[in-house]
Amino acid sequence: MKNKSFITSCLFSLAAVAQAQETPNIIFIYADDMGYGDLGCYGSKVNRTPNIDKLAAEGMRFTDFYSAATVSSPSRAALMTGRYAIRMGINDVFFPTSYTGIPETEVTMGEAMQSAGYYTGIIGKWHLGHLEKYLPLQNGFDEYFGIPYSNDMASAFFMRGNDVVDYHPKMDSITYVYTQEALRFLDQHHDKPFFLYLPHTACHVPLAASANFRGKSANGIYGDVVEELDWSVGKVLEKLDELKISENTIVIFSSDNGPWVVKGPMGGNPAPLFQGKVSVWEGGQRVPAIIRWPNKIKPQQVNTEVAAMIDWFPTLVSVVGGEIPNDRIIDGKNILPVLLGEGKRKDDEFAFVNYGQLQAYRAGDWKILLPEKKRKGSFWIEDVPAHDTLFFNLRKDIGENNDVKDKYPSEYQRVLEKMIVFKRTLKDVPPALIMLESNGLKMAANQQQEAIRQAREKGIKAKSK
C-alpha cells in the first residue's frame, strides 16, 4: 500500500509539473497615447519599429481593436477588470489631488492571476489611484515599480511597492529604467508562472528620449520616443529567448487610447483614422493590438473583426484557469477561440463610452455616432464641427467621411436598437468618482471655512474679555 501511495504521489507530482509547464507566462506591454499609424506594421513610414513589427509577424495583429476609453484611467480600469469603466464610476483621469481610485470591490486581472497561482508584477504607469489602498500591491500585484499617474502631472515620482524611492525621475531615462526593471523581473521570476504588466510612459508628453535615441529618428522627438519603446520591446523578447521561455510566454502589445493629436509633432499619428485622444471618432479609440503565443497562435495572422481591451480580462483569466466573477457584468468577451483560429468573438459589438456618456456604438461594419455640438480646439482636442447623428460603414469608410444613415435605414435601425439595449445595462452605474471628489473638496472647503469662522469668533470673544 505504501508503494502504491508513493507511485500515486509521484504521478500527481509529474502531472502538476506538466501542468505548470503548459501554463503560459503573460507579458502585457502598454504604450501611452500611441497612434494607430505609429508602427511600421500599421503603416508608419517614419518610425522604425522592427521589434514590434517582428512581434506582429510572429503572431496576430488586430486591425479593428478598441481601447475601452479615450483617456488613461478609465482605459486602464477597463483593461484590469474586463468592464467598461463607467460601471466603476471612473469617467475621468485621476490626478495627484485625487483621493479616490479603483474601487476595492473590483476584481483586477492581477487578483485573478494571483488566485490562479501566478506571481504578478507591474512596472510603469498605474493611474488608478495613488493613495495606498488603491496602489498595485493592494490590488493583485506582488510587486510594483513606477509612477502612479501620468508623467506630465505635478510631483511625478517613482514608487517601489508602497514607498516613494525617487522624487525626481528623469524623463529621458524612464523607458530605460522600466526596461531594466522588466529584465530584472524576468531574471528573478522566470522559474514560475508569472504575469508582468508593463505600462510605459511613452508616448505621453512631455516627450524625452535617452542619448542613444535622441535625434536619431526621421520623425523628431516623437519618433525618437517610439523607437526607444520599440528597443525596449526588443530587449524583453531577447531576455525571453535567453531564459528559454519564449515558447511558453504570451506577449501582448497595445495602447491605452489614441494619440494626442492636438500636440502636433509631439503627438502621435492616427492615420488613416480621424481625430485622436478624448474623441469617440475612430482615432480616439482604435489602437494597435498585437499578440504572440508561439505554437498556439499561428504567425502572420491579421484579424479584421471587432475586439476590445475589455476582452483581455476574460480571455487571459480563462487561459490561466482562473475564475471570472459571476456577480457583476463583465463586458469583455473571451476571444481565445479567435486567437487559436477556432471561432469568432461572441458578438461584434463595441460601445464608445466617453466621460460617462454613451456617445457611439459599433456592430459589425457599422457605427452610429450620436449628435455633437461644435467643439472648439482646446488643451485636449482639435476643432470638431457640430453634427447630427451619423452612421458609417467602417469597412468601406475607415476615415468616417460619409454618413450613410439615409442609404441604409434598416442597418441603422438594427445598430440603434443594439445601442439602446446596451444603454439599459448602464441604469445602475455608480456616481462618477470625479464628482464625489468634487463634492468632497467642497465639503472640505466648507469645513475649513467653518473652522476659520469659529476661530475668528473665539478670537473676538477672547478680546472682549
Side-chain angles (χ1 to χ4, degrees):
M1 291 294 292
K2 287 183 179 179
N3 288 338
K4 186 176 180 181
S5 297
F6 175 74
I7 292 170
T8 302
S9 176
C10 288
L11 289 174
F12 275 120
S13 297
L14 289 171
V17 170
Q19 185 178 7
Q21 290 173 341
E22 291 173 1
T23 305
N25 308 305
I26 299 171
I27 301 176
F28 197 106
I29 305 173
Y30 216 22
D32 196 347
D33 288 4
M34 174 173 275
Y36 186 84
D38 279 333
L39 301 173
C41 55
Y42 280 87
S44 177
K45 302 299 182 185
V46 291
N47 302 324
R48 295 169 297 187
T49 55
N51 295 300
I52 299 174
D53 297 347
K54 182 173 181 287
L55 188 71
E58 294 174 346
M60 178 178 288
R61 178 175 67 86
F62 291 87
T63 63
D64 292 50
F65 192 95
Y66 291 94
S67 163
T70 69
V71 288
S72 180
S73 295
S75 176
R76 291 157 199 270
L79 168 64
M80 283 290 107
T81 63
R83 289 155 51 79
Y84 288 109
I86 189 175
R87 301 198 192 281
M88 304 167 235
I90 301 176
N91 300 332
D92 203 339
V93 297
F94 293 112
F95 291 90
T97 54
S98 298
Y99 60 81
T100 53
I102 187 167
E104 297 170 82
T105 53
E106 293 297 327
V107 178
T108 69
M109 193 182 297
E111 289 168 329
M113 294 287 176
Q114 282 183 333
S115 297
Y118 273 61
Y119 187 85
T120 59
I122 166 176
I123 297 165
K125 175 182 176 180
W126 175 237
H127 215 182
L128 291 174
H130 69 281
L131 299 182
E132 186 167 316
K133 66 180 178 179
Y134 303 119
L135 288 171
L137 264 57
Q138 287 65 245
N139 287 280
F141 290 90
D142 294 302
E143 62 177 79
Y144 168 52
F145 177 85
I147 298 173
Y149 34 75
S150 288
N151 60 313
D152 65 333
M153 293 179 175
S155 304
F157 47 75
F158 280 140
M159 299 190 75
R160 189 176 299 280
N162 293 323
D163 301 318
V164 177
V165 292
D166 186 352
Y167 283 99
H168 304 287
K170 296 179 179 178
M171 292 296 134
D172 62 359
S173 65
I174 291 178
T175 297
Y176 177 83
V177 170
Y178 286 167
T179 305
Q180 297 308 307
E181 287 286 332
L183 300 182
R184 173 201 57 76
F185 179 96
L186 295 174
D187 277 329
Q188 293 179 357
H189 305 295
H190 68 276
D191 58 343
K192 51 186 171 289
F194 65 79
F195 170 53
L196 173 59
Y197 177 37
L198 184 53
H200 278 277
T201 292
C203 311
H204 196 292
V205 295
L207 302 178
S210 67
N212 290 336
F213 293 90
R214 194 180 309 123
K216 302 294 176 64
S217 82
N219 191 27
I221 183 61
Y222 187 87
D224 298 344
V225 169
V226 170
E227 294 184 9
E228 185 163 16
L229 179 59
D230 180 78
W231 163 84
S232 175
V233 172
K235 296 303 290 184
V236 170
L237 299 181
E238 283 178 15
K239 178 60 71 172
L240 296 179
D241 289 341
E242 176 190 319
L243 297 172
K244 296 181 171 49
I245 57 173
S246 292
E247 296 298 304
N248 196 38
T249 302
I250 296 172
V251 180
I252 299 170
F253 181 91
S254 195
S255 176
D256 67 340
N257 47 250
W260 208 344
V261 292
V262 75
K263 299 298 180 183
M266 295 290 183
N269 181 11
L273 312 175
F274 179 60
Q275 273 298 331
K277 179 174 180 171
V278 190
S279 168
V280 296
W281 293 82
E282 288 292 286
Q285 290 187 247
R286 196 190 293 205
V287 294
I290 297 163
I291 179 170
R292 185 187 77 174
W293 188 3
N295 301 322
K296 296 288 185 178
I297 297 175
K298 294 178 181 178
Q300 303 288 348
Q301 296 286 303
V302 178
N303 187 284
T304 61
E305 303 304 315
V306 174
M309 209 67 71
I310 47 177
D311 296 338
W312 291 126
F313 179 88
T315 302
L316 297 178
V317 173
S318 174
V319 165
V320 305
E323 292 188 12
I324 297 171
N326 58 13
D327 61 344
R328 66 201 66 193
I329 294 174
I330 301 294
D331 296 291
K333 306 298 186 293
N334 183 347
I335 59 171
L336 186 58
V338 175
L339 303 179
L340 302 181
E342 298 173 351
K344 290 183 174 291
R345 189 174 185 258
K346 187 176 180 180
D347 65 40
D348 57 3
E349 299 173 32
F350 178 75
F352 295 76
V353 182
N354 191 28
Y355 285 92
Q357 294 183 331
L358 178 60
Q359 295 182 352
Y361 202 81
R362 178 171 179 177
D365 295 346
W366 307 91
K367 176 181 176 182
I368 287 177
L369 189 63
L370 294 182
E372 185 177 19
K373 295 180 181 178
K374 179 181 179 181
R375 299 180 82 175
K376 189 175 181 181
S378 67
F379 174 81
W380 288 108
I381 194 169
E382 293 181 322
D383 287 349
V384 179
H387 61 80
D388 200 346
T389 301
L390 302 175
F391 190 56
F392 303 110
N393 183 321
L394 294 176
R395 198 65 62 195
K396 296 179 179 178
D397 180 22
I398 193 172
E400 298 174 285
N401 295 303
N402 304 304
D403 175 24
V404 293
K405 181 170 69 273
D406 295 335
K407 190 175 181 181
Y408 298 97
S410 61
E411 292 291 351
Y412 169 75
Q413 190 62 36
R414 181 179 68 86
V415 180
L416 181 62
E417 288 172 2
K418 289 179 178 291
M419 185 178 191
I420 292 170
V421 169
F422 173 80
K423 190 171 184 179
R424 290 189 187 123
T425 72
L426 301 178
K427 65 180 185 302
D428 296 324
V429 297
L433 292 180
I434 199 69
M435 291 302 295
L436 293 177
E437 287 184 359
S438 177
N439 293 336
L441 290 173
K442 287 178 182 177
M443 288 173 60
N446 290 338
Q447 290 170 355
Q448 185 180 36
Q449 289 298 319
E450 177 62 18
I452 292 172
R453 185 192 66 77
Q454 291 178 4
R456 285 176 177 169
E457 190 174 278
K458 287 179 181 179
I460 292 171
K461 288 180 179 178
K463 285 181 180 179
S464 64
K465 289 180 182 180

